[in-house]
Amino acid sequence: MEREGKPSGISEVERAIAEALLRWYETHRRDLPWRRRRDPYAIWIAEVMLQQTRVETVIPYYERFLARFPTLQDLAAAPLEEVLKAWEGLGYYARARHLHEAARRLMEERGGEFPRTLAEWRRLPGVGPYMAAAILSIAFGQDIVALDGNAIRVLARLFAFDQDPRRPAGRRQLQQRAERLLPSGQAGAFNQALMDLGATLCTPKSPRCPECPLRAFCAAYAQGNPEAFPVRAPRRMLPHYDVTAGVIEADGRVLIAQRPLQGMLGGLWEFPGGKVEPGESLEECLQRELREELGIEVEVGEPLLTLRHTYTHMRITLHVFRCRIRSGTPQPIGCADVRWVPIAELDRYAFPRTDQRIVEWLRQEGSSSLTRQTTGRSRT
DNA sequence: AAGCCGTGGAG
DNA sequence: TCTCCAAGGCT
């Protein structure tokens, strides 16, 4: 008794798995902001933000972003700077640049109409195989499997899948096996059910198998080693770098530079500086960086603060110094732009986390020195 | 193919 | 303090 529109040879077990999954999802699905609506724009924004990012982290960003850019038209019409500001602190900033560029293209080339095929979605910057499938299944109800990290983990355990799902061959294999499970007309629920299951029960460490609706079908559970799946590659050691940054104040303003649009933290603003080279002192590094990036000669003053930070592929210790310009006028030589900004207006610019901490420090320093001044004046 | 790309929370 | 890693995509 084959159902229509499905691959042939769907077994009773495969049907039972999908049924158990969907039944569990009906009662256990998480109430998330982007699940309260079904328009492609909202789903798209959520999917971009959720890349490699926890739900709890995304929610406040999502709410603010949709309030600020309610429609595709609003997003396309906005300056990139405002989109980056809305993204500030969320990380992986290329997502914001790609999202903005894609919105502009959708408006210009399609009159604001969203694609309805995988191939068309994939042509948009920032849209990969997962996101295209997720949007089409969730927002358009198309019968397409969307495998994210959660779904991959759930399925790898369900099948005790011994290949590496990050490699193309393993990925294709898992995709095919997932498609056999997909109940037609319910791909959106099916995909999200796998994600919720992976996020809440079938977690990377200490999965809560006793509560799992798929326990009876799970090969890894039967073997007693669910944590062994999916197979993962060993981690590499993170290199460490010493980095310097300069705070240059003049006439009540502080100098900030915008990072090049491409590459790490692209388009964000920072206090200029850079990596210390072998055999170089912190002061020498800062002088060299400011000469190379801004074309100015500086005198390095007092150290202000030291920050540690871990990025995806390196750790840094950031040494922040006050600096004074000896000669030259700052120009955007090794950066996208340069600006003198009153400390009170720094919050208009998008900074990476480390520089946000410097901004915070400057504000406190400013208010405390203001307190000192006020106290001093009152005594005079 | 494999390295790059942020951040914060959990354990 | 340290490791792991979360609704991936780009080059």
Side-chain angles (χ1 to χ4, degrees):
Chain A
M1 61 181 247
E2 298 298 339
R3 296 283 192 272
E4 66 289 347
K6 280 188 160 188
S8 59
I10 301 295
S11 71
E12 287 304 325
V13 172
E14 285 163 335
R15 254 191 287 276
I17 289 172
E19 197 175 319
L21 181 64
L22 289 174
R23 195 177 314 127
W24 175 84
Y25 185 63
E26 278 178 27
T27 54
H28 292 81
R29 73 196 295 260
R30 292 175 289 176
D31 179 27
L32 303 170
W34 43 91
R35 286 183 177 167
R36 297 201 311 260
R37 43 198 295 184
R38 192 178 160 148
D39 63 289
Y41 178 70
I43 302 296
W44 179 33
I45 302 299
E47 290 301 337
V48 176
M49 286 190 171
L50 285 163
Q51 273 182 35
Q52 304 290 285
T53 310
R54 292 184 146 72
V55 164
E56 316 84 70
T57 304
V58 164
I59 289 175
Y61 280 92
Y62 175 83
E63 304 277 22
R64 264 183 275 125
F65 198 94
L66 280 197
R68 171 62 188 82
F69 311 106
T71 69
L72 175 65
Q73 290 83 340
D74 297 314
L75 179 57
L80 173 61
E81 297 255 338
E82 285 190 34
V83 179
L84 285 173
K85 181 61 187 175
W87 211 269
E88 181 185 45
L90 197 51
Y92 286 126
Y93 299 96
R95 292 183 296 176
R97 284 184 275 119
H98 291 150
L99 180 62
H100 183 242
E101 173 60 23
R104 301 178 64 119
R105 282 195 209 169
L106 285 174
M107 285 307 297
E108 287 200 9
E109 299 172 11
R110 304 178 54 91
E113 189 175 332
F114 288 101
R116 300 192 177 231
T117 68
L118 282 175
E120 289 173 299
W121 271 105
R122 288 294 304 278
R123 280 191 212 108
L124 295 170
V127 178
Y130 162 75
M131 212 158 49
I135 294 169
L136 285 174
S137 64
I138 296 170
F140 292 99
Q142 295 188 21
D143 286 336
I144 302 173
V145 168
L147 297 186
D148 74 322
N150 287 310
I152 286 172
R153 184 172 55 257
V154 171
L155 295 175
R157 288 173 178 171
L158 183 64
F159 302 135
F161 191 70
D162 57 3
Q163 301 179 57
D164 186 342
R166 286 176 306 277
R167 301 175 65 86
R171 182 58 178 270
R172 275 195 302 274
Q173 188 89 346
L174 204 58
Q175 176 87 20
Q176 286 180 8
R177 301 199 58 170
E179 283 166 1
R180 296 175 58 83
L181 301 179
L182 184 67
S184 73
Q186 305 185 76
F190 177 83
N191 290 331
Q192 294 181 87
L194 281 178
M195 295 186 223
D196 274 23
L197 190 58
T200 61
L201 297 183
C202 197
T203 48
K205 283 173 287 187
S206 307
R208 295 154 62 183
C209 298
E211 303 170 50
C212 181
L214 304 186
R215 186 183 65 256
F217 310 103
C218 185
Y221 177 76
Q223 293 177 198
N225 62 344
E227 287 193 37
F229 302 93
V231 297
R232 41 178 167 267
R235 290 248 311 180
R236 307 158 48 84
M237 257 267 296
L238 298 181
H240 173 273
Y241 303 102
D242 282 296
V243 180
T244 60
V247 173
I248 307 171
E249 280 183 272
D251 302 325
R253 294 162 187 260
V254 60
L255 186 69
I256 59 174
Q258 188 180 32
R259 297 178 60 90
L261 248 42
Q262 305 303 322
M264 179 152 145
L265 305 171
L268 273 66
W269 292 81
E270 67 178 2
F271 295 92
K275 280 183 195 168
V276 176
E277 292 182 351
E280 192 176 46
S281 72
L282 297 176
E283 287 80 0
E284 288 166 344
C285 165
L286 199 42
Q287 289 177 324
R288 174 182 53 76
E289 290 285 352
L290 297 189
R291 184 161 53 233
E292 291 173 358
E293 287 184 20
L294 307 172
I296 57 175
E297 293 297 330
V298 301
E299 173 187 332
V300 177
E302 58 169 324
L304 298 182
L305 67 166
T306 303
L307 302 170
R308 292 179 213 295
H309 192 72
T310 304
Y311 295 104
T312 309
H313 58 292
M314 64 176 165
R315 311 170 190 279
I316 66 163
T317 302
L318 180 61
H319 307 270
V320 187
F321 292 85
R322 194 175 293 284
C323 294
R324 223 165 42 81
I325 298 183
R326 263 200 235 276
S327 66
T329 301
Q331 288 167 350
I333 301 171
C335 51
D337 200 359
V338 183
R339 212 161 289 181
W340 291 99
V341 180
I343 289 179
E345 294 176 13
L346 283 173
D347 58 5
R348 297 181 187 177
Y349 298 82
F351 292 93
R353 273 295 182 240
T354 50
D355 294 81
Q356 278 186 281
R357 292 200 199 114
I358 300 174
V359 169
E360 185 60 26
W361 188 90
L362 286 174
R363 266 204 283 268
Q364 294 196 346
E365 178 65 13
S367 59
S368 60
S369 71
L370 186 63
T371 302
R372 283 199 298 277
Q373 279 181 11
T374 304
T375 306
R377 270 202 298 274
S378 68
R379 284 166 190 261
T380 308

